[in-house]
Amino acid sequence: NIDEEAPKVISFRLKSENHLSLEFSEMINELTLLNPENYKLQANVLKEIIPISTQEVELQFENVFADAEQMQLDVSGVADECGNILDTIMNFVYHVVHEHDVVINEIMADESPTQGLPEYEYIELYNTKNYPISVEGWKLQIGS
């Protein structure tokens, strides 16, 4: 099989204030996966590349990401086993969530009898910021 398609970033995750992970759509040539010249973040120096697999890498930077500022990670020169080269820019915003950034916008309580309402309970969360906020790992606790 002749592969003529460049790899893609299929997962981009912020792990902490100076640490992120990238997962690629296919196996990456190890020399390009671990080359620090292939990952550039404006005004920040790459401190360490941690290989997770031939398709995933974690990047740790010297300085913390600026809170609530648009940033760009330039990923270039990363090649798959057939030499197809990825050249892309990943835009992201690192944000420490503060009170009122995400609010409960609507509550659907359990109506009995239903009185024409859906037989489902839910809450609707509303993001008050103009960029995505991850709710991964959040838990809803009702009562004690």
Side-chain angles (χ1 to χ4, degrees), residues 92-136:
F92 70 97
V93 174
Y94 174 76
H95 178 64
V96 177
V97 178
H98 301 286
E99 189 175 3
H100 305 296
D101 286 353
V102 176
V103 297
I104 295 175
N105 195 47
E106 184 176 348
I107 298 174
M108 174 59 77
D110 184 16
E111 276 296 320
S112 183
T114 63
Q115 299 179 11
L117 296 171
E119 292 190 42
Y120 302 103
E121 295 178 326
Y122 66 84
I123 62 169
E124 179 180 280
L125 300 179
Y126 178 73
N127 177 2
T128 64
K129 298 299 177 187
N130 60 357
Y131 44 82
I133 294 178
S134 173
V135 294
E136 182 178 340

Side-chain angles (χ1 to χ4, degrees), residues 16-20 47 59-65 94:
S16 74
E17 62 194 11
N18 70 333
H19 188 195
L20 56 87
K47 179 179 178 181
L59 307 175
Q60 186 169 2
F61 291 88
E62 291 283 338
N63 303 313
V64 298
F65 304 138
Y94 174 76

Side-chain angles (χ1 to χ4, degrees), residues 19 21-22 33-34 49-58:
H19 188 195
S21 71
L22 297 172
L33 183 69
L34 301 178
I49 300 174
I50 305 161
I52 304 302
S53 71
T54 57
Q55 287 183 244
E56 187 174 0
V57 67
E58 292 186 0

Side-chain angles (χ1 to χ4, degrees), residues 82-96:
C82 294
N84 301 305
I85 298 174
L86 169 66
D87 184 16
T88 190
I89 294 175
M90 308 297 299
N91 293 305
F92 70 97
V93 174
Y94 174 76
H95 178 64
V96 177

Side-chain angles (χ1 to χ4, degrees), residues 35-50:
N35 184 346
E37 294 297 315
N38 294 342
Y39 310 97
K40 292 185 175 52
L41 182 63
Q42 64 208 38
N44 208 334
V45 177
L46 184 60
K47 179 179 178 181
E48 183 178 12
I49 300 174
I50 305 161

